[in-house]
Amino acid sequence: MTVPGAVVEVDRLVREFTVREPVPGRRLRRRARRVRAVDEMTFTVGPGEAVGYIGANGAGKSTTIKMLAGILVPTSGSVRTCGLEPIGERRTLSRRIGVVFGQRSQLWWDLPLSESFAILGAIHRLEPDALASRRAELVEELELADFWSTPVRQLSLGQRRRAEVAAALLHRPELVVLDEPTIGLDVLSKQRLREFLVHERRTRGTTLLLTTHDMGDVERLCERVLVVDHGRLAYDGTLSGLGATVAAERILVVDLAEPVADLQVPGTRHLGSEGEGVRQRLAFDPATTTAAAVLTAVQTRAEVRDLSVAEPDVEDVVRRLWARNRAVGAGGRPGSA
């Protein structure tokens, strides 16, 4: 399969691992078993797209990304990234993609952040003026100045995440792959990072592939969603289409000025109350109403002091999707919209 201009091309991609597990009743014996982490995966990502690649832990997301980056060799099938064969052209590919792995850092643990960026600039062969300009932009936009001279090992989780994203974007890659980019960030830092990624796509045409358990990230950053479960592609379409497919609900949590009886708001389900009715939880379907509409209805019944909206849980979305597929006789095979 060759798709002209595609940034990512995956065709019937398979990756298997051999695991050794205990033999029942034989404590010192182990037997080998082949596990298929990625199972006949096929999809493409076009230039400038923002794609959410979501699924439960162990679904095969990280394995797929490692094959896209040339870290793992596919068992069968084919993959091309930025028009290149990842394994055979890995060095060239590394200058055209930026990757942030959840458990793997590209920063030097004992060096100040500033020195890590100087080394990365040399690795990517950036001209001094280009490096200085890009570094200044990233420091300002991702608010790195306060810990720019601090060793990486002394940074908080949120500070490291912002620094990792900045490092992945330093050389202005065509494709950016981010694994849980907003984990550990406070609300304001999370919003700032999302705004910066939107700006990068709008001004540079950067292609974004995002793996996350935060559906808020997907909703605000991605136009398309790929759902993977047990190594198979379960859904490829829009986020709104996914919500309609699985009837994923959002939850509005309201803190009221004084206790009231359980709120009965049209278009919602009352999930529970705390503090004799001071805090109440209402579930609603985003395909049929909005958080703003629900809040307006609540305010006609009681004074609201604070609120929050909980996004659907990724594991719940995947579970509902596969339950639906089985119910319509798909036998657990992928669905799309």
Side-chain angles (χ1 to χ4, degrees), residues 32-50:
R33 181 169 64 90
R34 296 290 287 178
V35 175
R36 183 165 286 196
V38 175
D39 188 3
E40 298 282 343
M41 190 82 71
T42 297
F43 65 86
T44 63
V45 177
E49 275 198 278

Side-chain angles (χ1 to χ4, degrees), residues 153-168:
R153 57 183 166 78
Q154 295 180 10
L155 301 181
S156 68
L157 173 60
Q159 290 171 335
R160 285 203 308 274
R161 297 305 292 177
R162 280 147 56 195
E164 291 283 0
V165 171

Side-chain angles (χ1 to χ4, degrees), residues 237-265:
T238 64
L239 184 61
S240 59
L242 176 61
T245 298
V246 301
E249 294 178 318
R250 300 173 76 186
I251 299 172
L252 178 68
V253 182
V254 291
D255 290 337
L256 307 177
E258 58 185 27
V260 300
D262 291 351
L263 294 169
Q264 302 300 322
V265 177

Side-chain angles (χ1 to χ4, degrees), residues 53 58 67 86 94 320-321:
Y53 192 49
M67 288 188 283
S94 67
R320 287 171 177 261
L321 179 61

